[in-house]
Amino acid sequence: MSVVKSSLSEADLKTVGNALQGALVDLVDLSLVAKQVHWNVVGPRFRSVHLQLDEVVLTARQHSDVVAERASAVGVNPDGRAASVASGSAIGDVPSGWIKDVDAVKILVDALGAVIARMRERIEATDEPDPVTQDILIGLTADLEKHAWMFQAESA
């Protein structure tokens, strides 16, 4: 049952819905991974990495809300449940326990890289079916790429 009628065709809605759902899952998981690393990072660069991780969490949470609301606006039910996030995310597992600052940076570089690669695929997929969704994905990818740059600079 859909209470929201979409202006998109069924085929376009399927493409856009998949892109938005995938983006939502990746963003929710990115926020969780960054927060988990934030709580467990240790080392000489603790403070700077700790604060940088909170910036990623904030970005991911803000964009996940925008993505979920866009999905709702076009008639797609956003699904951010734990099981959906766990089964659909591009991000690998985070080790348990304390995480050295250099390892924390690597974890975030890898996580951001995985999410950005999938966001770029979604940008391409939504080009024709829905430029509005594509614009949202472009903006959030730019923000994620900025974080990726900063974490890569940490490990240079």
Side-chain angles (χ1 to χ4, degrees), residues 29-78:
D29 200 26
L30 180 61
S31 72
L32 294 171
V33 164
K35 198 48 120 166
Q36 179 66 25
V37 175
H38 166 90
W39 292 324
N40 290 286
V41 66
V42 294
R45 297 183 323 194
F46 162 80
R47 183 162 173 72
S48 64
V49 173
H50 184 79
L51 295 173
Q52 214 174 337
L53 288 161
D54 264 345
E55 292 173 9
V56 173
V57 171
L58 181 62
T59 296
R61 286 179 178 169
Q62 288 174 333
H63 283 296
S64 65
D65 196 48
V66 170
V67 165
E69 288 177 356
R70 178 64 186 162
S72 293
V74 298
V76 174
N77 296 104

Side-chain angles (χ1 to χ4, degrees), residues 2-7 73-75:
S2 179
V3 296
V4 177
K5 302 296 182 214
S6 178
S7 60
V74 298

